[in-house]
Amino acid sequence: MKRLLPALALSAGLACTLPASAQFQKAEDAIKYRQAAYRVMAEHFGRLGAMANGRVPFDAKLAQENMAIVGALHTLPFSAFEPGTDKGAPNRARPEVWKEAAKFKAARDKLDGEMAKLSDAVKGGKLDAIKTAFGATGGACKGCHDDFRAKDYSAN
Amino acid sequence: MKRLLPALALSAGLACTLPASAQFQKAEDAIKYRQAAYRVMAEHFGRLGAMANGRVPFDAKLAQENMAIVGALHTLPFSAFEPGTDKGAPNRARPEVWKEAAKFKAARDKLDGEMAKLSDAVKGGKLDAIKTAFGATGGACKGCHDDFRAKDYSAN
């Protein structure tokens, strides 16, 4: 073991703010990544919502295209809330993300479940079912925002 | 036709800076969307590259997961270079994106082609083939950056 220790210490030192197991090299990278993933997802979720809520005509193919992007993206931000990523760039994650990790995980699981139902509804192509599932998914988004997203951005 | 004209004029008026056919409501939205899509894509392209270039051990499953995200994202930014989105938020798009639209389209097509080959290579699971395809795809990224991306961000 003795010989391993200097190597471990070196590798820990190189990681700066994040543990060596982290997928991101800097906290700033993780914060900007999750914000970016949310932004792209929100754009396509919004386009689906415009159809679900009758603001634009329903187009089953377009709904499926938007849902495919939302489906590919919605789990990504959660990989970027690693410990140590509360600071590093202005962001709105509340300390509860890490202090109440089990509750945050439950909010994520809730979203995953509603997203799966929404995906099925979009595949089914029935606007009424999509409307219901979209509302429930939006509720899961909002529930997590209410508990884990601050009103204002952090200073750094 | 006469009856349609007032409706068309009204819808054009509502769109403010972007044409009525635009998918984004404001130029700022389009700019931030394309920057966000590039950021998420670059993260996963980088993780694939770390394996292709031997900086981390090759893991076929992980390579496929990263490739799936890159595959879902790489066409998205191109939907957000609509006319009128050169300004609206600091960005690095050069005027040539719009002035040399055919050349920009060719650069995009080149990327699409290399991405398809990279996707096949990742599915095949042979590191040598992935390395070659990754290099060619990175070259397509760089070619487009060289011609269409400015060194510095615009002021607005």
Side-chain angles (χ1 to χ4, degrees):
Chain A
M1 269 306 283
K2 242 181 186 170
R3 287 193 185 191
L4 274 175
L5 283 176
L8 284 172
L10 180 66
S11 114
L14 284 171
C16 298
T17 50
L18 295 182
S21 62
Q23 295 204 75
F24 296 91
Q25 297 212 320
K26 292 182 295 177
E28 180 186 0
D29 295 343
I31 292 168
K32 291 189 171 174
Y33 171 92
R34 66 196 188 216
Q35 292 170 338
Y38 280 132
R39 176 177 288 275
V40 177
M41 180 172 66
E43 175 65 35
H44 294 278
F45 192 67
R47 290 181 194 177
L48 195 56
M51 286 187 253
N53 296 322
R55 288 197 305 279
V56 304
F58 178 65
D59 178 322
K61 188 170 167 283
L62 216 58
Q64 284 173 20
E65 286 172 7
N66 281 295
M67 186 66 225
I69 300 166
V70 171
L73 284 166
H74 77 88
T75 61
L76 300 186
F78 293 98
S79 70
F81 286 99
E82 291 167 332
T85 63
D86 54 329
K87 286 195 171 62
N91 74 93
R92 293 166 72 189
R94 291 179 58 190
E96 283 73 12
V97 168
W98 299 276
K99 284 185 190 159
E100 298 178 16
K103 193 178 164 191
F104 186 58
K105 166 85 167 57
R108 178 203 166 144
D109 290 346
K110 168 90 179 148
L111 178 69
D112 287 351
E114 299 300 350
M115 279 286 186
K117 284 187 234 168
L118 180 58
S119 177
D120 286 346
V122 170
K123 271 179 206 145
K126 306 278 185 213
L127 187 55
D128 275 354
I130 295 171
K131 198 176 171 118
T132 303
F134 183 85
T137 309
C141 297
K142 186 183 178 302
C144 194
H145 293 170
D146 287 348
D147 291 339
F148 296 103
R149 189 173 72 167
K151 193 166 163 267
D152 299 313
Y153 280 83
S154 64
N156 54 51
Chain B
M1 270 306 283
K2 243 180 186 173
R3 286 191 186 191
L4 274 174
L5 283 176
L8 284 171
L10 180 66
S11 111
L14 284 171
C16 298
T17 49
L18 295 180
S21 62
Q23 295 203 77
F24 297 90
Q25 298 211 322
K26 291 181 297 177
E28 181 185 1
D29 295 343
I31 292 167
K32 291 190 171 172
Y33 170 92
R34 66 196 188 213
Q35 291 171 338
Y38 281 131
R39 175 176 288 275
V40 177
M41 180 172 68
E43 175 65 36
H44 294 278
F45 192 67
R47 290 181 193 177
L48 195 56
M51 287 187 252
N53 295 323
R55 289 197 305 279
V56 304
F58 178 65
D59 178 322
K61 188 170 167 282
L62 216 59
Q64 283 172 20
E65 286 172 7
N66 281 299
M67 186 66 224
I69 300 167
V70 171
L73 284 165
H74 78 87
T75 62
L76 300 186
F78 293 98
S79 71
F81 286 100
E82 292 166 332
T85 63
D86 54 329
K87 287 197 169 64
N91 75 91
R92 293 165 71 189
R94 290 178 59 190
E96 283 73 11
V97 168
W98 298 278
K99 283 186 192 161
E100 297 178 15
K103 193 178 164 192
F104 186 58
K105 167 83 168 54
R108 178 205 165 142
D109 291 345
K110 167 91 180 148
L111 178 69
D112 287 352
E114 299 300 350
M115 279 286 185
K117 284 187 233 168
L118 179 58
S119 177
D120 286 345
V122 170
K123 273 179 205 144
K126 306 277 185 215
L127 187 54
D128 275 353
I130 295 171
K131 199 178 171 114
T132 302
F134 183 85
T137 309
C141 296
K142 187 182 178 300
C144 194
H145 293 169
D146 287 349
D147 290 339
F148 296 102
R149 190 173 72 167
K151 193 165 162 264
D152 299 311
Y153 281 83
S154 64
N156 53 52

